[in-house]
Amino acid sequence: MQNTPRPVIQREPESPTCRVVPKHTRLYKRLEEALHTGSEVWFRMPGTRLVGIPIYLDGDYVEVVDVDVAEGYEDDELPDDPYQRTVWLIRLAEISAISYATDRWSKDRFERLLDQSDSDSSPIDT
């Protein structure tokens, strides 16, 4: 058996869509927060939008689950299987934007906030 050198394998440079998102980026931090709190996140990517709750996150991907309920039916007319779970594995480098709820209000509190906003923006009588 001869000691012959192995051929050198040339790797193609990684495309921009295959890069790893560093864990210190704001995107990663927000997804990590949503993962720990169980918050729903809306994703925007080229050509599509998705919504779901993160269930896994690493430097390359976020996995989200979305549960849909059949709409437009009366309770007695629901199909046999009205619920559907969809799991998405999303490459972080493909995400162009995310949104997530940061605060929730009751109807009463929301109306108080609107009233306060109206009184703050009304002209002051002198």
Side-chain angles (χ1 to χ4, degrees), residues 9-125:
I9 298 173
Q10 296 281 333
R11 289 185 62 193
E12 293 292 321
E14 289 187 13
S15 69
T17 60
C18 293
R19 69 184 188 279
V20 173
V21 175
K23 292 183 179 183
H24 63 274
T25 64
R26 187 168 294 211
L27 171 65
Y28 188 91
K29 287 179 183 177
R30 295 298 181 248
L31 289 172
E32 192 172 42
E33 287 173 15
L35 174 69
H36 293 300
T37 61
S39 300
E40 188 173 65
V41 179
W42 294 268
F43 298 88
R44 179 183 289 168
M45 292 156 297
T48 191
R49 294 179 184 188
L50 301 172
V51 63
I53 298 171
I55 57 174
Y56 174 80
L57 176 65
D58 66 20
D60 295 313
Y61 296 95
V62 61
E63 189 171 16
V64 297
V65 64
D66 180 36
V67 177
D68 291 317
V69 181
E71 294 181 11
Y73 296 95
E74 296 295 324
D75 286 340
D76 57 343
E77 299 173 348
L78 276 175
D80 291 337
D81 298 322
Y83 307 100
Q84 174 182 331
R85 180 182 68 181
T86 306
V87 178
W88 296 95
L89 185 62
I90 304 168
R91 185 176 308 192
L92 295 180
E94 293 292 321
I95 298 172
S96 57
I98 66 168
S99 63
Y100 47 92
T102 58
D103 202 357
R104 297 186 188 273
W105 307 289
S106 66
K107 180 181 177 194
D108 292 336
R109 181 170 178 227
F110 183 65
E111 288 173 350
R112 285 194 310 269
L113 289 170
L114 289 176
D115 290 342
Q116 181 181 0
S117 175
D118 287 343
S119 66
D120 291 346
S121 63
S122 63
I124 300 173
D125 295 329

